[in-house]
């Protein structure tokens, strides 16, 4: 998400005349993805990009056109969503020292009870080691929407920042964003 934010801010600096010269070019046209939500690159020298699919997979995007994607993580067998809309695998962040420790973090939803989960994993030999999962936080969610899911490390402090949303329902009927006793 960081790249998208930088791109958006960069576009705001252009005048409307300059903006008319900007063109969007399709990429990865030879691949099909299921509900992509974010594209992240680890802070290492690999140059790899990881595409998060809301349905529960993280795919490694190939550097060469026409090459197949590789599955980095697959939790699609978990009960991620009540409805195929705002639940699922929603976020990914690589540890600032990923090159050394191979740690990364994901944000996903789970059912029974309905909750958002933030987990730490370690990669091994280029793939996520599912047995390394360490659940850091579980946040009860009253509804299936408004779950957010963005994860990022602060550039100055190195802290993991977690965006959790307000817990659901249109018009904020639960008023959870205003309650200092709730995570959402």
């Amino acid at each position: 998400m960081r790249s998208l934010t930088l791109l958006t801010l960069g576009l705001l600096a252009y005048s409307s005349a300059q903006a008319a010269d900007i063109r969007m070019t399709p990429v990865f046209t030879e691949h099909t993805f299921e509900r992509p939500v974010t594209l992240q690159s680890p802070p290492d020298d690999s140059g790899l990009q990881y595409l998060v699919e809301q349905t529960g997979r993280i795919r490694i995007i190939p550097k060469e056109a026409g090459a197949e994607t590789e599955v980095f993580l697959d939790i699609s067998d978990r009960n991620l969503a009540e409805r195929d809309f705002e639940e699922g695998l929603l976020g990914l962040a690589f540890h600032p020292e990923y090159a050394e420790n191979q740690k990364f973090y994901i944000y996903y939803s789970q059912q029974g009870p309905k909750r958002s989960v933030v987990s730490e994993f370690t990669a091994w030999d280029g793939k996520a080691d599912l047995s390394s999962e360490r659940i850091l936080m579980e946040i009860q969610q009253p509804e299936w929407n408004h779950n957010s899911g963005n994860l990022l490390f602060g550039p100055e402090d190195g802290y993991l920042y977690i965006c959790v949303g307000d817990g659901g329902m249109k018009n904020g009927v639960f008023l959870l964003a205003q309650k200092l006793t709730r995570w959402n």
Side-chain angles (χ1 to χ4, degrees):
M1 207 52 143
R2 185 178 304 168
S3 297
L4 178 61
T5 303
L6 294 176
L7 173 64
T8 304
L9 294 175
L11 289 175
L12 293 176
Y14 284 101
S15 70
S16 60
Q18 290 170 315
D21 294 335
I22 296 172
R23 301 284 181 259
M24 301 294 259
T25 304
V27 293
F28 312 123
T29 55
E30 64 277 2
H31 301 291
T32 302
F33 302 107
E34 286 188 79
R35 299 191 348 242
V37 293
T38 187
L39 183 68
Q40 300 291 329
S41 296
D44 60 12
D45 295 329
S46 70
L48 294 174
Q49 295 179 314
Y50 294 74
L51 183 118
V52 176
E53 294 176 309
Q54 189 176 2
T55 54
R57 288 183 192 86
I58 299 175
R59 297 185 185 273
I60 303 172
I61 303 300
K63 292 180 184 180
E64 306 85 32
E68 292 297 315
T69 62
E70 292 181 43
V71 175
F72 175 71
L73 173 119
D74 186 349
I75 59 168
S76 60
D77 60 342
R78 299 183 185 186
N79 191 9
L80 299 175
E82 174 185 336
R83 299 183 188 178
D84 291 336
F85 188 55
E86 294 183 24
E87 292 181 307
L89 179 55
L90 302 173
L92 166 67
F94 291 96
H95 191 282
E97 296 173 7
Y98 179 76
E100 292 81 31
N101 64 23
Q102 298 292 289
K103 293 192 182 302
F104 66 95
Y105 303 82
I106 64 170
Y107 181 109
Y108 62 97
S109 56
Q110 283 281 243
Q111 308 303 310
K114 185 176 294 301
R115 63 201 183 279
S116 293
V117 180
V118 178
S119 286
E120 174 190 79
F121 286 86
T122 303
W124 179 256
D125 204 23
K127 301 271 191 235
D129 177 3
L130 290 176
S131 70
S132 72
E133 181 174 18
R134 182 168 68 112
I135 296 174
L136 303 178
M137 179 181 286
E138 292 184 285
I139 303 161
Q140 295 295 347
Q141 295 288 1
E143 293 295 331
W144 54 270
N145 61 346
H146 297 189
N147 293 318
S148 189
N150 293 321
L151 297 173
L152 60 99
F153 279 90
E156 299 295 323
D157 59 19
Y159 292 157
L160 178 62
Y161 288 86
I162 304 163
C163 302
V164 297
D166 70 1
M169 296 298 283
K170 67 180 181 178
N171 302 323
V173 297
F174 298 119
L175 299 174
L176 296 178
Q178 290 75 28
K179 293 182 180 174
L180 297 178
T181 58
R182 295 291 303 250
W183 287 104
N184 45 4

